Amino acid sequence: MYLSKSDFKLAQSCATKLFYAKKNYPNERESDPLLDNLADGGFLVAKLAQLMFPEGIEIKSDQSILNAHQVTLEMLLKEEVTLFEPLLIANRKLARVDILRKRGNELELIEVKAKSFDGTLGNEQFWSAKKDKIASGWDEYLRDIAFQVIIAREAFPQMSIRAFLMMTDKTKTTGIEGLAKQFQLNEVELDSGRKGYKVDFTGSLEAIHQDQFLTRIEVTNEVEFLIPLIRNDIAQYLDSLGENGEIKKIATPIGRGCKGCEFFSENKAESGFDECWGELAKPTPHFFELYWGLDDEKTNQLIETKSTSLFDIPLDWLKNKKGDFGSRGLRQKIQIENTRSGKVWIGNGLKQELQHIQYPVHFIDFETYQSALPYHRGMRAYERIAFQWSVHTLSSPDAEPTHSEFLNTEAVFPNFTFAESLMKKLGNSGTILIWTQYENTVLRAIYQQLQDYAGTLHIDAAPLLQWLESTAKIEGVSDGRMVDMNKLCFDYFFHPMMKGSTSIKAVLPAVWKDGVFLHELSWLKKYVKVEKGEVLSPYKALESIEIFERAERVEEGMGAMRAYEEMIYGRSAAHPEKKQKWEQLLLEYCKLDTLAMVIIWKYWLNKCGT
């Protein structure tokens, strides 16, 4: 049994997880790797990196491990060669290298990352302030390539090995107009007869070489520092895998890091989390449900005394250094006390806050992503792209909400069209309600982009800039007219079903189950779904649609990001009927996000007698 690069990365987060992964325990984070790659821009950056080496030869991914390794070895017999995705194997370890270059007696391992770095800082950014360890933001990436270097050295002990990262430089702008839309993912038939995918580039190779938008930075010194630190880890992982197919579990002390473990399942017999925690996993509610959580010391103290219920937490622990509860401690205290009593808590100030809201009331939600590659000349990597908005408007407290929406469906930079259409919808009257400050952050980013690019793109920015200044909270300009419902929730509302979260995905199911009167409203009946006697969250009422022989759903923000990338750059871009299905999923999801705010609003009005 081999220790792969993905095995190593997983075990570095928690060695016990290697056992659960190899035993195929249920994994909450398992998803479509293709859509994951689309969402973080990985396929764009990987293809761009390969374009920098036109002489490169790809080792096909549909070959067996032994065949791919054999082809790699044969290619490396050449004096000079550049390989894409070659497979290296040594002493029961294996890894595919993004780009491997051989020049005589030297091997260059190039790891391509869909991550940006600051080219003005050089290698300094990889180190902590004291220069005694790798900076936390880079440790995972550098350990990844260090693992590959170890394999390469064991496989080719006579050769000199150098390590590089290749990434976008956030200090650089591209000189290529329309760079992002020059890449397209297409389906192909592999030698094995299975379906595969390749990225086609339609732009100028000469322009790519002149642009140098990607930067290669040598990290051999950083890798040398890490190798002694991970060799013992690797030996331990290999020992746990065994040489005869048996897998031994590596015991890792349980603690705060277990919160959110992906190997958690409602089926306790197949839950890695429950297997690690034993009896300490059983209390309901568990102390992991506490808002914001506890620090390591307090978490370990509860574990040592086998006190893992939420109600085992001493209330004095929630006070700050001054001996006061503070805003966080007060929220935690409200959670514990009202979870124990099973009561809904409404703060005294909520009714007054609701009465200050001016109609028409606009409930807004945005969907965005950060494009790995820029759309226009002069832009940088990972600028925020706003591709969708949804608005529900109430003209009066008793009115039925009206809905409007925008969704970009083409491979263009959508931000200014997005903002202009939103301006036409919201106008200058009424209060705008948001859930968290994210929408305000997006509008501030567009405000800055207008100032940076309006001249280059020949846009009359004045009307839109003026509207943004009066609408968004922009430091030194205006306070805007947005009200954050998440803050109102934090300050004035708690339902035991919310547990330790004020996310709209936690608040809506609680409000929906408790506010039975909402189910009778004609415009909400389609979201009423009962399963095994339980009223489900409206998000669970969203229909799935079959796309490429797979049932697809969009019910959270990352899913929306993946869907958009698949629709614009992925396989579906070349299939109008598939693209239309993704559009439908995105529109239904974003519509529900703002409708969820309306539901919570109506519930609050009812509870406050307003």
Side-chain angles (χ1 to χ4, degrees), residues 400-603:
E400 186 173 314
T402 59
H403 181 247
S404 301
E405 59 196 2
F406 168 90
L407 175 62
N408 177 61
T409 60
E410 302 301 327
V412 296
F413 181 69
N415 288 20
F416 302 149
T417 304
F418 169 101
E420 285 173 348
S421 61
L422 186 67
M423 175 177 66
K424 291 176 182 177
K425 170 59 189 173
L426 299 182
N428 295 295
S429 63
T431 303
I432 300 171
L433 294 184
I434 56 180
W435 198 278
T436 76
Q437 287 295 310
Y438 185 70
E439 280 66 30
N440 193 75
T441 300
V442 173
L443 291 182
R444 282 205 316 265
I446 294 174
Y447 179 77
Q448 185 60 53
Q449 288 172 328
L450 269 170
Q451 296 177 79
D452 291 343
Y453 306 132
T456 305
L457 300 176
H458 307 293
I459 295 171
D460 179 11
L464 188 51
L465 283 170
Q466 185 177 6
W467 180 78
L468 288 169
E469 288 172 353
S470 65
T471 302
K473 183 176 182 178
I474 302 174
E475 189 173 349
V477 178
S478 77
D479 290 332
R481 56 190 176 109
M482 295 185 178
V483 174
D484 185 355
M485 288 182 69
N486 182 64
K487 187 176 188 310
L488 293 180
C489 183
F490 177 87
D491 290 340
Y492 302 113
F493 180 70
F494 176 77
H495 189 293
M497 278 185 63
M498 291 162 50
K499 301 181 180 178
S501 175
T502 58
S503 162
I504 199 167
K505 300 299 190 297
V507 180
L508 178 64
V511 163
W512 186 244
K513 185 174 183 179
D514 193 50
V516 179
F517 71 94
L518 295 162
H519 304 175
E520 301 303 318
L521 298 175
S522 60
W523 43 278
L524 290 177
K525 282 189 176 296
K526 67 176 286 188
Y527 297 105
V528 179
K529 188 174 183 179
V530 179
E531 194 172 279
K532 296 180 180 179
E534 289 290 321
V535 177
L536 300 183
S537 165
Y539 286 100
K540 296 300 180 183
L542 291 172
E543 298 293 332
S544 61
I545 298 178
E546 186 173 294
I547 308 175
F548 290 115
E549 301 179 350
R550 171 176 165 150
E552 299 287 359
R553 293 168 61 90
V554 176
E555 53 185 359
E556 39 78 30
M558 180 56 72
M561 187 187 304
R562 290 174 178 142
Y564 181 71
E565 284 279 27
E566 166 64 14
M567 182 177 74
I568 300 297
Y569 299 114
R571 296 167 291 171
S572 300
H575 300 272
E577 73 285 0
K578 311 290 186 187
K579 187 174 180 179
Q580 191 277 329
K581 290 180 179 181
W582 284 113
E583 289 178 31
Q584 183 180 340
L585 288 173
L586 281 167
L587 290 172
E588 285 296 320
Y589 165 70
C590 198
K591 177 181 180 180
L592 181 53
D593 264 354
T594 50
L595 192 61
M597 297 165 68
V598 178
I599 292 170
I600 295 166
W601 177 261
K602 289 284 189 181
Y603 176 89

Side-chain angles (χ1 to χ4, degrees), residues 52-116:
M52 305 299 291
F53 305 97
E55 77 282 4
I57 301 168
E58 183 175 3
I59 306 299
K60 294 182 179 179
S61 60
D62 65 328
Q63 300 180 82
S64 69
I65 288 175
L66 292 179
N67 285 344
H69 183 228
Q70 185 60 38
V71 172
T72 298
L73 293 179
E74 290 172 1
M75 289 293 180
L76 289 175
L77 293 175
K78 299 180 179 181
E79 183 68 15
E80 292 191 358
V81 69
T82 299
L83 302 176
F84 301 148
E85 297 293 325
L87 182 64
L88 302 184
I89 299 179
N91 300 320
R92 298 171 53 223
K93 301 180 293 295
L94 63 80
R96 280 193 177 270
V97 180
D98 288 339
I99 301 174
L100 180 65
R101 300 182 78 216
K102 181 190 176 189
R103 295 296 181 268
N105 196 45
E106 183 175 270
L107 285 180
E108 295 180 358
L109 277 68
I110 304 173
E111 178 73 7
V112 182
K113 292 296 183 186
K115 176 181 172 66
S116 61

